[in-house]
Amino acid sequence: MTLNPAIIGDNAFAPGVTAATYVPDQLIAGRFPLTTDTVTLAAGQNLPRGAVLGVITATGKFRLSAAASTDGSQTPAAILVDGVNATNGDTLAGVYLTGEFNQRAVIFGAGHSVSSTKEALRLREIFLRSSVSAADPS
């Protein structure tokens, strides 16, 4: 990471001091309690934060929920907390089991959309909300 002394001041090159710019992704959309858990993400996936996951009935492993799946994962069950690369094998991953999420920031699998998943997620206390921007004061 390249540090910009103009942004972080005189401590830019002090030992043990690092700086990074925080850029919120707007995934969380409200104050409904967030409940998390650690699950096994099935091998062969590289998923971003906010991916809508389903559970494979036979194994209990999670995968990106796709509408055409017939293994149980077609039903949305959780939202991925952080991006996870499980390309080379099953990987533990954090998921949100409840909460309010910005419907523009969640990632849907093939055949899914806000309208096709909203009710199934609501039954699990995962609420998809439209983003609301602040009014322009001018």
Side-chain angles (χ1 to χ4, degrees):
M1 167 171 50
T2 304
L3 300 176
N4 183 342
I7 295 173
I8 60 175
D10 294 334
N11 293 324
F13 301 104
V17 175
T18 60
T21 303
Y22 173 68
V23 179
D25 62 7
Q26 305 298 317
L27 178 63
I28 308 301
R31 293 183 168 191
F32 191 85
L34 294 171
T35 303
T36 60
D37 200 359
T38 301
V39 301
T40 300
L41 194 63
Q45 306 177 87
N46 185 5
L47 300 175
R49 170 174 162 81
V52 177
L53 305 176
V55 183
I56 302 168
T57 306
T59 64
K61 296 176 185 177
F62 284 66
R63 65 176 303 177
L64 184 65
S65 182
S69 294
T70 58
D71 59 3
S73 68
Q74 68 274 13
T75 304
I79 295 180
L80 193 60
V81 172
D82 289 310
V84 176
N85 187 345
T87 304
N88 296 321
D90 293 350
T91 304
L92 294 178
V95 295
Y96 292 113
L97 298 176
T98 66
E100 289 180 272
F101 302 91
N102 179 351
Q103 66 191 25
R104 293 179 180 221
V106 296
I107 309 299
F108 298 102
H112 274 317
S113 64
V114 171
S115 60
S116 72
T117 60
K118 197 167 192 172
E119 180 63 16
L121 289 169
R122 185 190 66 77
L123 293 172
R124 293 182 170 268
E125 297 186 341
I126 296 175
F127 303 99
L128 299 181
R129 305 282 186 227
S130 58
S131 55
V132 179
S133 59
D136 184 359
S138 56

